[in-house]
């Protein structure tokens, strides 16, 4: 199986697994315990948090500095940010292309009476800065703006510098969902202009089940879980030390290898898209005119249904998707492509590939051959079965 669904999750790096196994072998690890084993666990956890902060350009070591709240992943981090930052009775601004874990919370808060303002996106998948400026300046002043760093479906990188300036000028906190960006793009919390940033380890070859919400020093975050004093009461529950160690090591590897990996997988992706353009008339690649994540390719295959194509590719040894993994299992069309103004036919024929550092040039040649074969086969089948 050629795995090309790395925007959904990545393969755990074997070196990260080894580091986690070494951690598990140390014995029971509860950082809140006062005995020797507990103190050893606390040391491991504190070191992991410190390292993660350093790799992301945050100061998590100084008293009263930035705080890294460990969560179960990106979705929980987004939920915590939207429920815990700012006054929930005041407006919330989000973009139309956000991850479901942002839009669903926004919709729930709207049902409870909160005003929610939606920033539209352009045909290239970039949020509309002029509309963002208008919505942020509109009275009453928003309590929070939440915009992703890079889109999980199209890979389009969003203009965070411009959005951060708008928020700073209006004195409005900014939350960035950097789940798809961290580990793939350079990131420095100290200069990003955000009050809080979400991320998760399994997007950069770390373990599933752990993520983080970086919160800037001085920013108040309200907990929405109760029952413990861990993490300064912001997210109760015994911390998963081996997962934190694994996330820290995975981030170290991703940071140190980033430039070389990005250049290589972008070359593989671009060559793939060139081959596909030559072989399939009418294929549409989304976000190609905008800055994109180096390993994301999102495209529509004319004349075929995405679900049928995905099943054919799965049987043909290609693992990919048709959009957000958090919307899989449902046949709902992509809200991201809809926000970009794409037609229903285009949306219903869209496939997404996500490359990683383990993806080879041969993988992408095989993928293009397999996709083209099944596209031609399905088109011929539809032509034959079409009523006269």
């Amino acid at each position: 199986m050629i795995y090309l669904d790395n925007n959904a999750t990545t393969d755990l790096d074997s070196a990260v697994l080894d580091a986690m196994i070494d951690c598990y072998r140390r014995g029971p690890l509860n950082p809140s315990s006062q005995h020797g084993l507990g103190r050893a666990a606390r040391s491991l956890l504190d070191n992991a948090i410190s390292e993660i902060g350093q790799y992301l350009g945050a100061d998590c070591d100084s008293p009263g500095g930035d705080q890294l709240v460990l969560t179960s992943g990106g979705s929980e981090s987004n939920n915590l940010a939207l429920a815990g930052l700012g006054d929930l009775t005041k407006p919330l601004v989000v973009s139309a292309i956000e991850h479901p874990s942002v839009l669903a919370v926004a919709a729930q808060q709207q049902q409870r009476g909160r005003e929610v303002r939606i920033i539209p996106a352009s045909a290239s998948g970039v949020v509309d800065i002029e509309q963002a400026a208008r919505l942020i300046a509109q009275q009453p002043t928003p309590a929070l703006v939440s915009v992703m760093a890079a889109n999980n479906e199209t890979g389009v990188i969003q203009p965070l510098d411009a959005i951060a300036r708008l928020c700073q000028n209006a004195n409005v906190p900014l939350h960035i969902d950097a789940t798809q960006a961290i580990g793939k793009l350079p990131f420095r919390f100290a200069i990003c202009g955000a009050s809080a940033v979400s991320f998760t380890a399994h997007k950069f070859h770390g373990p599933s089940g752990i993520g983080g919400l970086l919160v800037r020093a001085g920013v108040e975050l309200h907990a929405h879980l109760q029952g413990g004093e861990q993490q300064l009461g912001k997210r109760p529950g015994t911390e998963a030390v081996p997962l934190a160690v694994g996330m820290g090591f995975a981030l170290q590897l991703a940071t140190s290898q980033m430039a070389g990996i990005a250049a290589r997988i972008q070359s593989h992706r671009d060559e793939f898209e060139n081959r596909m353009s030559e072989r399939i008339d009418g294929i549409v690649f989304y976000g190609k005119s905008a800055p994109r994540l180096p390993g994301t390719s999102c495209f529509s295959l004319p004349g075929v249904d995405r679900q049928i194509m995905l099943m054919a590719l799965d049987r043909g040894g290609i693992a990919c998707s048709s959009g957000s993994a958090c919307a899989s299992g449902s046949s709902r069309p992509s809200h991201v492509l809809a926000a970009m103004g794409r037609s229903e036919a285009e949306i219903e024929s869209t496939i997404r590939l996500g490359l990683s550092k383990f993806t080879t040039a041969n993988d992408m040649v095989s993928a293009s051959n397999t996709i083209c074969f099944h596209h031609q086969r399905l088109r011929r089948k539809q032509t034959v079965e079409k009523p006269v």
Side-chain angles (χ1 to χ4, degrees), residues 46-64:
D46 288 346
N47 287 339
I49 290 174
S50 175
E51 291 175 356
I52 292 167
Q54 291 173 21
Y55 299 137
L56 296 180
D59 179 13
C60 297
D61 296 321
S62 301

Side-chain angles (χ1 to χ4, degrees), residues 69-77 80 199 209-213 231 235:
V69 181
L70 299 177
T71 67
S72 62
S75 290
E76 184 190 341
S77 295
L80 178 57
F199 64 98
I210 187 166
L213 181 68
Q231 305 198 68
R235 202 269 190 177

Side-chain angles (χ1 to χ4, degrees), residues 239-306:
E239 299 96 336
V241 176
L243 296 183
V245 169
M247 180 162 68
F249 190 39
L251 189 56
Q252 176 189 344
L253 294 176
T255 302
S256 64
Q257 301 169 355
M258 186 177 296
I261 290 171
R264 186 173 72 250
I265 65 175
Q266 181 169 325
S267 175
H268 294 340
R269 181 202 63 191
D270 292 348
E271 290 173 2
F272 165 83
E273 291 184 348
N274 289 337
R275 284 193 297 270
M276 295 292 288
S277 295
E278 292 171 356
R279 298 174 66 179
I280 298 181
D281 292 335
I283 190 170
V284 178
F285 291 97
Y286 298 113
K288 198 168 183 178
S289 61
R292 282 186 295 169
L293 294 172
T296 300
S297 182
C298 181
F299 51 92
S300 288
L301 296 166
V304 298
D305 178 81
R306 58 190 170 92

Side-chain angles (χ1 to χ4, degrees), residues 118-142:
I118 306 295
I119 307 170
S122 69
S124 61
V126 180
V127 296
D128 188 322
I129 290 297
E130 290 185 2
Q131 289 298 315
R134 183 182 65 81
L135 295 175
I136 292 171
Q138 183 179 323
Q139 295 298 315
T141 301

Side-chain angles (χ1 to χ4, degrees), residues 19-20 23-24 26-32 37-49 52 70 207 210 238-248:
M20 292 169 59
C23 193
Y24 278 115
R26 292 173 179 263
L29 296 170
N30 187 337
S32 298
L37 287 173
R39 293 195 300 274
R42 171 55 58 185
S43 178
L44 286 170
L45 181 64
D46 288 346
N47 287 339
I49 290 174
I52 292 167
L70 299 177
I210 187 166
T238 302
E239 299 96 336
V241 176
L243 296 183
V245 169
M247 180 162 68

Side-chain angles (χ1 to χ4, degrees), residues 182-375:
I182 284 180
K184 303 173 186 176
L185 300 174
F187 183 85
R188 305 299 294 172
F189 185 60
I191 60 174
C192 74
S195 295
V197 173
S198 299
F199 64 98
T200 188
H202 73 103
K203 304 296 188 182
F204 48 84
H205 303 287
S208 297
I210 187 166
L213 181 68
L214 269 175
V215 182
R216 193 169 300 281
V219 172
E220 186 175 6
L221 176 70
H222 303 283
H224 69 273
L225 297 176
Q226 308 300 322
E229 296 303 318
Q230 293 92 345
Q231 305 198 68
L232 302 179
K234 303 305 182 186
R235 202 269 190 177
T238 302
E239 299 96 336
V241 176
L243 296 183
V245 169
M247 180 162 68
F249 190 39
L251 189 56
Q252 176 189 344
L253 294 176
T255 302
S256 64
Q257 301 169 355
M258 186 177 296
I261 290 171
R264 186 173 72 250
I265 65 175
Q266 181 169 325
S267 175
H268 294 340
R269 181 202 63 191
D270 292 348
E271 290 173 2
F272 165 83
E273 291 184 348
N274 289 337
R275 284 193 297 270
M276 295 292 288
S277 295
E278 292 171 356
R279 298 174 66 179
I280 298 181
D281 292 335
I283 190 170
V284 178
F285 291 97
Y286 298 113
K288 198 168 183 178
S289 61
R292 282 186 295 169
L293 294 172
T296 300
S297 182
C298 181
F299 51 92
S300 288
L301 296 166
V304 298
D305 178 81
R306 58 190 170 92
Q307 301 287 9
I308 296 173
M309 175 60 80
L310 286 177
M311 289 187 288
L313 293 178
D314 186 37
R315 291 193 297 269
I318 305 295
C320 57
S321 68
S322 63
S324 172
C326 292
S328 65
S330 71
S331 58
R332 290 179 298 174
S334 166
H335 70 280
V336 174
L337 296 181
M340 293 165 59
R342 310 313 304 195
S343 68
E344 182 179 353
E346 290 173 320
I347 294 173
E348 290 299 335
S349 62
T350 295
I351 301 294
R352 181 191 69 180
L353 305 186
L355 289 68
S356 82
K357 66 180 181 180
F358 298 125
T359 305
T360 67
N362 286 338
D363 288 339
M364 298 309 294
V365 171
S366 296
S368 62
N369 290 337
T370 303
I371 293 170
C372 289
F373 169 79
H374 285 291
H375 179 258

Side-chain angles (χ1 to χ4, degrees), residues 10-156:
T10 57
D11 193 15
L12 182 65
D13 192 300
S14 60
V16 175
L17 176 60
D18 290 341
M20 292 169 59
I21 290 173
D22 288 343
C23 193
Y24 278 115
R25 283 176 173 159
R26 292 173 179 263
L29 296 170
N30 187 337
S32 298
S33 298
Q34 298 301 307
H35 47 63
L37 287 173
R39 293 195 300 274
R42 171 55 58 185
S43 178
L44 286 170
L45 181 64
D46 288 346
N47 287 339
I49 290 174
S50 175
E51 291 175 356
I52 292 167
Q54 291 173 21
Y55 299 137
L56 296 180
D59 179 13
C60 297
D61 296 321
S62 301
D66 303 326
Q67 184 182 5
L68 172 58
V69 181
L70 299 177
T71 67
S72 62
S75 290
E76 184 190 341
S77 295
N78 287 339
N79 272 256
L80 178 57
L82 266 66
L85 293 171
D87 185 343
L88 300 187
T89 66
K90 295 183 178 179
L92 169 67
V93 178
V94 300
S95 87
I97 59 172
E98 295 303 305
H99 187 269
S101 61
V102 168
L103 293 179
V105 176
Q108 182 184 64
Q109 292 180 355
Q110 188 175 41
Q111 290 174 353
R112 294 173 178 173
R114 187 177 194 181
E115 180 186 353
V116 176
R117 303 170 187 168
I118 306 295
I119 307 170
S122 69
S124 61
V126 180
V127 296
D128 188 322
I129 290 297
E130 290 185 2
Q131 289 298 315
R134 183 182 65 81
L135 295 175
I136 292 171
Q138 183 179 323
Q139 295 298 315
T141 301
L144 181 67
V145 173
S146 182
V147 176
M148 58 176 30
N151 188 260
N152 52 301
E153 294 190 29
T154 64
V156 172

